[in-house]
Amino acid sequence: METETGLPHRSWWTPYLFLAPGLVMVTLFSLWPFVNTVVLSFTDAQILRGGGFVGLDNYRRAFADPDFWVATGNSVLYLVVVVPCLVLLPLALAVLVQAKIPGIGFFRSAFYTPVIASAVVVGLIWQWVLRSDGLVNTVFRRLHLVSEPIPFLTDSTMLLVSAMIVTVWKGLGYYMVFYLAALGNVSATLHEAAAIDGAGPVRRFFSITVPQVKPMMLLVGTLSAISALRVFTEIYILGGESGGPGGGARTLPFLIRQVGLGFSGETGYACAISILLFLLTLVFSLLGRRLSKGDEP
């Protein structure tokens, strides 16, 4: 059927027809798992057994569980240390590789290579580098800087620091690309005018470049905060299934995996911790959004 203009007639439901596949996918793979997790968090369900309603018992158990607070502390510490590094270091790296000089493409590719490498491969490489007889300890001992191997992987605190180093190293190239896009939009005219007024490179960086890329810095901060709260692979590869000595380096995703794993896994309790992690992530996401809105015109 055609309209007076010769174009095919469109029913009111035509746009919804195009949206339907996407809505079905989101419902099946995002909305339904989230709702199911919320429901299970109020039950004592296990992997092979449907649970009964237990109200807020799982949440009360989490708040009284020392392991939960250790994991929460590690996740927050991870966020506090890693996020500033992933906001500032990629910006410095992007400024360095922004220069259009021969051969700079090689360095851009080299810095981006860890991003496309598998997290497992990256973890195994760093395990070889940081273990007691690994590269770092061997070099330090040959240089007589240490008499005993540094316990990068056998001490809970050092293991957490090692995992942070791996996370920052792997994320540098990823966020560097973000900043390269933002730096491309910084007006060269402003830099030229400031240079004519006598402003040096450092003054121009802090007075012109940083304000121009500040929205991108807030975006990178929000994204890296969410990633920091979800960290699991680095801890698992470097510290093993126990999460380091006594599980002292476990983060919240690691604890969720441990609690809910196996035939006797406590699905309900793991879902309750998952919801608490979701709320913690939501707080930092809203904080980042609020800071971003403060910069909007």
Side-chain angles (χ1 to χ4, degrees):
M1 180 179 180
E2 294 186 349
T3 62
E4 294 178 353
T5 60
L7 297 174
H9 177 72
R10 293 180 180 177
S11 303
W12 63 269
W13 45 265
T14 302
Y16 298 99
L17 187 63
F18 287 99
L19 291 173
L23 290 174
V24 170
M25 297 291 284
V26 169
T27 302
L28 284 178
F29 297 106
S30 295
L31 186 59
W32 166 244
F34 176 75
V35 172
N36 194 40
T37 300
V38 173
V39 172
L40 285 173
S41 71
F42 295 103
T43 70
D44 59 353
Q46 296 184 352
I47 293 291
L48 300 178
R49 179 178 66 82
F53 181 74
V54 295
L56 296 173
D57 284 359
N58 287 326
Y59 293 94
R60 294 194 192 97
R61 177 183 169 186
F63 289 129
D65 186 355
D67 290 340
F68 170 77
W69 289 112
V70 169
T72 302
N74 287 338
S75 289
V76 173
L77 179 63
Y78 213 96
L79 180 145
V80 170
V81 174
V82 166
V83 171
C85 294
L86 286 178
V87 170
L88 300 177
L89 294 180
L91 175 59
L93 203 61
V95 172
L96 290 176
V97 302
Q98 188 192 20
K100 296 178 180 178
I101 58 177
I104 198 65
F106 168 78
F107 292 97
R108 290 184 182 182
S109 302
F111 291 133
Y112 192 76
T113 300
V115 178
I116 59 177
S118 163
V120 175
V121 173
V122 170
L124 291 174
I125 292 173
W126 278 93
Q127 190 183 54
W128 172 76
V129 171
L130 297 174
R131 64 190 186 193
S132 298
D133 59 345
L135 178 65
V136 173
N137 275 314
T138 301
V139 171
F140 281 2
R141 295 182 74 172
R142 293 282 177 84
L143 296 175
H144 302 289
L145 296 176
V146 297
S147 57
E148 297 292 331
I150 301 174
F152 289 111
L153 307 181
T154 54
D155 177 81
S156 296
T157 304
M158 293 299 296
L159 175 60
L160 205 58
V161 173
S162 302
M164 291 174 185
I165 293 172
V166 175
T167 299
V168 172
W169 179 76
K170 195 174 188 312
L172 280 178
Y174 181 69
Y175 295 116
M176 178 192 72
V177 174
F178 282 53
Y179 283 125
L180 282 174
L183 290 173
N185 294 324
V186 177
S187 173
T189 307
L190 293 176
H191 277 278
E192 292 170 0
I196 292 174
D197 289 340
V202 176
R203 176 69 181 277
R204 294 202 302 273
F205 174 77
F206 285 104
S207 299
I208 298 175
T209 303
V210 171
Q212 294 282 319
V213 301
K214 190 175 179 181
M216 184 59 74
M217 294 173 72
L218 293 171
L219 174 63
V220 170
T222 302
L223 294 177
S224 57
I226 295 172
S227 298
L229 289 173
R230 293 168 48 200
V231 69
F232 169 81
T233 307
E234 291 89 335
I235 302 291
Y236 183 83
I237 297 297
L238 296 179
E241 294 187 2
S242 63
R250 286 179 295 188
T251 56
L252 281 173
F254 202 101
L255 181 63
I256 292 168
R257 184 253 185 194
Q258 276 194 331
V259 170
L261 187 67
F263 292 114
S264 60
E266 299 174 279
T267 308
Y269 184 44
C271 288
I273 301 176
S274 300
I275 296 301
L276 294 173
L277 174 60
F278 165 74
L279 294 176
L280 186 62
T281 306
L282 184 64
V283 168
F284 283 101
S285 299
L286 293 177
L287 181 62
R289 180 176 173 78
R290 186 172 182 80
L291 292 173
S292 300
K293 289 181 70 175
D295 286 335
E296 291 178 356

